[in-house]
């Protein structure tokens, strides 16, 4: 069954603006509270040891429900679910801005994550249906992919400005007018193709619990150590649920993850690369924010402004470098260029030092890193939905977003532990700023290692350009 009606060409630009704005909003909210956490904790009397829940509650719901959100759009209509998710996100933002306690704020953040898990895959799958396969779709996916890299930076920048000048509650309230505008803009979107059949409830529950347990275990291990009992229990639950999931899918009439979606080697490689880039990116933002505020003593507003080179770099990578390379080379080649550039930036960050002129390392390395990640996010997004049947584009889109979210949680947990251990291992007599900077730089070198593994993954799993051309007929039937 299909309620898909092709969009008129003159409306496609507006449709892309709506979908890109939605993705920017969802990704932005993953980091927008970061700079304001100390102020939020003081105002709502949240103990310092529990502040991380304001961050992880959003990631937990977002990452855990993305596959279900993507499949729900396939079954019940992507534009309809896109609107439902926006309304949930909008109401949750209103609740968060009015929160009088930490418990209410964390509840609001969970609900924001639920809304984001519905909106993000619906937006990407609608984009794939709106634009035909080939250069036009690649350019549109480039804009969308840029939002995955740019959104986190915008969140940090906007969060710092709002916290300093209007108060932390505007971190939540700012979402409301943006979400309303996007909601009004949905009139230009196509309804989207539907897949016949019902929801695979056992598979949906298993996937949600598995992803949610994994995200929680990773975040818990990051804040309490890898030997923490609760983290180990949830990690074991995640492993058990992931082990059972394939057997549930084999017996399902309408599996939540159709075999053709996950079986393609190139699509698997693109998702693994997205996971690894997400792991390096979120950890890098974490270390840079701490370096700027703790070592350099930047204010929240200055910290936000200092991320501008990264935002500019992402724009160059996703809007210029990525599309230009994609038109001439394979997705594999574009990913190699993007991840190699990002890894080079991490090596440059390894030269950070206390009281250092920002023009030497902090700002130029961000520009280079932004170009690399902007280029990489475009290519990974294209690879993640390449050749997918139209009726399965929602679940494929959910996989792309899930990879980025899970990667971010994993990378931050692992590299934060490495940074803390490095700082603690500094010899006696080392100044606090020197010790902290040593930990942060080692953490960013670890992010560079993630990008290096991503490069190797792209080389081993993605197709050369000639093989990509073989998938074009499938893409045209899916568009």
């Amino acid at each position: 069954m299909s309620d898909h009606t092709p969009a008129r060409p003159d409306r496609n630009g507006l449709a892309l603006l709506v979908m890109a704005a939605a993705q920017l909003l969802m990704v932005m909210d993953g980091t927008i509270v970061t700079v304001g956490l100390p102020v939020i904790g003081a105002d709502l009397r949240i103990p310092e040891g529990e502040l991380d829940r304001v961050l992880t509650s959003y990631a937990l719901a977002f990452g855990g429900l993305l596959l279900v959100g993507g499949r729900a759009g396939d079954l019940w209509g992507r534009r309809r679910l896109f609107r439902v998710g926006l309304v949930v996100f909008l109401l949750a933002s209103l609740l968060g801005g009015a929160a009088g306690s930490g418990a209410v704020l964390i509840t609001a953040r969970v609900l924001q994550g639920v809304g984001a898990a519905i909106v993000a895959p619906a937006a990407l799958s609608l984009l794939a249906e709106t634009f035909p396969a080939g250069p036009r779709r690649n350019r549109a996916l480039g804009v969308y992919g840029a939002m995955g890299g740019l959104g986190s930076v915008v969140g940090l920048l906007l969060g710092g400005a709002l916290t300093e000048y209007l108060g932390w509650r505007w971190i939540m309230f700012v979402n409301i007018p943006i979400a309303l505008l996007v909601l009004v803009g949905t009139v230009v979107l196509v309804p989207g193709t539907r897949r016949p059949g019902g929801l695979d409830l056992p598979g949906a529950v298993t996937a949600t619990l598995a992803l949610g347990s994994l995200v929680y275990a990773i975040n818990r291990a990051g804040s309490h150590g890898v030997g923490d009992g609760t983290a180990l229990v949830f990690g074991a639950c995640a492993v058990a649920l992931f082990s059972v999931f394939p057997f549930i899918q084999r017996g399902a009439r309408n599996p939540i993850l159709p075999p053709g979606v996950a079986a393609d080697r190139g699509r698997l490689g693109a998702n693994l690369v997205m996971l690894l880039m997400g792991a390096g990116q979120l950890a890098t933002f974490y270390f840079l924010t701490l370096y700027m505020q703790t070592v350099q003593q930047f204010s929240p507003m200055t910290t936000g402004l200092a991320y501008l080179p990264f935002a500019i770099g992402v724009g160059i990578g996703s809007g210029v470098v990525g599309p230009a390379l994609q038109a001439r080379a394979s997705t594999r080649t574009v990913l190699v260029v993007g991840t190699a550039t990002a890894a080079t930036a991490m090596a440059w960050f390894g030269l950070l030092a206390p009281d250092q002129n920002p023009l030497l390392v902090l700002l130029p390395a961000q520009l280079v890193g932004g170009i690399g990640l902007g280029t990489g996010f475009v290519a990974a997004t294209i690879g993640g939905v390449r050749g997918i049947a139209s009726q399965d584009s929602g679940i494929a889109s959910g996989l792309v977003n899930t990879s980025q979210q899970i990667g971010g949680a994993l990378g931050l947990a692992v590299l934060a532990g490495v940074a803390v251990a490095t700082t603690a291992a500094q010899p006696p007599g080392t100044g606090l700023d020197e010790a902290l900077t040593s930990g942060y730089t080692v953490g960013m070198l670890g992010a560079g290692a993630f990008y290096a593994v991503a490069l190797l993954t792209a080389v081993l799993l993605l197709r050369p350009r000639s093989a990509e051309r073989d998938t074009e007929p499938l893409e045209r039937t899916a568009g």
Side-chain angles (χ1 to χ4, degrees):
M1 180 174 65
S2 172
D3 57 358
H4 171 59
T5 304
R8 295 196 306 268
D10 59 340
R11 298 177 69 179
N12 284 0
L14 288 174
L16 177 58
L17 178 63
V18 170
M19 291 179 280
Q23 173 70 351
L24 178 71
L25 185 59
M26 301 305 117
V27 176
M28 180 183 81
D29 260 63
T31 59
I32 196 169
V33 301
T34 304
V35 179
L37 279 177
V39 179
I40 293 171
D43 190 30
L44 297 183
R45 298 179 181 177
I46 304 174
E48 186 174 346
E50 297 179 9
L51 272 177
D52 64 326
R53 295 184 185 178
V54 180
L55 279 174
T56 59
S57 54
Y58 181 80
L60 185 66
F62 193 4
L65 291 168
L66 271 166
L67 290 185
V68 176
R71 179 45 102 209
D74 289 339
L75 294 174
W76 299 316
R78 285 139 193 173
R79 186 175 64 183
R80 178 182 297 142
L81 268 291
F82 186 85
R83 288 168 171 167
V84 169
L86 279 171
V87 171
V88 172
F89 187 86
L90 189 156
L91 294 176
S93 299
L94 180 61
L95 176 65
S101 67
V104 174
L105 178 61
I106 290 169
T107 300
R109 291 285 287 167
V110 170
L111 292 173
Q112 281 184 317
V114 173
I118 299 171
V119 170
L124 182 52
S125 55
L126 283 171
L127 185 150
E129 289 203 76
T130 301
F131 294 89
R136 289 181 62 200
R137 181 183 291 177
N138 287 348
R139 284 194 296 269
L141 286 170
V143 173
Y144 182 92
M147 299 303 105
L150 191 60
S152 298
V153 187
V154 172
L156 292 167
L157 196 158
L158 193 57
L162 292 172
T163 299
E164 187 156 330
Y165 294 113
L166 294 178
W168 72 264
R169 294 183 184 277
W170 281 94
I171 293 175
M172 299 285 106
F173 289 145
V174 73
N175 296 322
I176 297 172
I178 301 173
L180 282 173
L181 287 172
V182 174
L183 193 59
V184 171
T186 58
V187 296
V188 303
L189 301 181
V190 298
T193 302
R194 296 191 198 179
R195 181 186 182 93
L199 181 65
D200 169 24
L201 189 58
V205 171
T206 304
T208 300
L209 291 177
L211 289 168
S213 297
L214 178 62
V215 173
Y216 183 79
I218 291 169
N219 282 290
R220 177 83 183 187
S223 57
H224 293 78
V226 292
D228 177 75
T230 303
L232 292 174
V233 168
F234 275 89
C237 287
V239 171
L241 289 165
F242 278 123
S243 300
V244 171
F245 183 71
F247 297 100
I248 294 175
Q249 295 302 277
R250 285 176 196 167
R253 290 183 59 188
N254 300 291
I256 191 170
L257 187 62
V261 174
D264 182 81
R265 192 180 77 172
R267 199 174 302 122
L268 171 64
N271 278 282
L272 287 175
V273 171
M274 181 67 87
L275 182 145
L276 290 162
M277 288 195 301
Q281 183 199 36
L282 189 59
T284 299
F285 289 152
Y286 177 74
F287 295 129
L288 286 178
T289 299
L290 290 176
Y291 170 79
M292 287 189 275
Q293 291 198 346
T294 305
V295 177
Q296 295 282 8
Q297 297 293 307
F298 288 179
S299 68
M301 180 61 186
T302 304
T303 300
L305 289 174
Y307 275 112
L308 278 175
F310 201 101
I312 293 169
V314 169
I316 295 172
S318 60
V320 180
V321 178
L325 287 174
Q326 195 75 46
R328 295 170 175 82
S330 66
T331 298
R332 179 172 68 180
T333 300
V334 181
L335 282 173
V336 167
V337 172
T339 52
T341 304
T344 300
M346 295 305 106
W348 199 343
F349 280 130
L351 302 176
L352 283 172
D355 301 321
Q356 187 181 62
N357 187 327
L359 294 175
L360 295 177
V361 176
L362 180 64
L363 300 182
Q366 282 192 67
L367 180 64
V368 173
I371 292 172
L373 287 176
T375 303
F377 277 121
V378 170
T381 302
I382 291 171
V385 298
R386 180 183 295 279
I388 197 70
S390 181
Q391 66 268 23
D392 291 327
S393 62
I395 191 64
S397 304
L399 273 175
V400 172
N401 284 283
T402 299
S403 299
Q404 185 177 359
Q405 292 297 315
I406 297 296
L410 177 63
L412 182 56
V414 171
L415 296 181
V418 170
V420 169
T422 302
T423 297
Q426 295 304 300
T430 303
L432 178 60
D433 286 349
E434 288 81 0
L436 289 172
T437 303
S438 295
Y440 302 154
T441 53
V442 168
M444 283 185 279
L445 290 173
F450 279 128
Y451 298 143
V453 176
L455 187 156
L456 183 61
T457 301
V459 170
L460 293 177
L461 294 182
L462 271 79
R463 303 180 179 96
R465 189 161 179 79
S466 58
E468 284 186 354
R469 290 196 185 101
D470 293 339
T471 68
E472 287 299 311
L474 174 59
E475 286 190 352
R476 288 194 179 97
T477 64

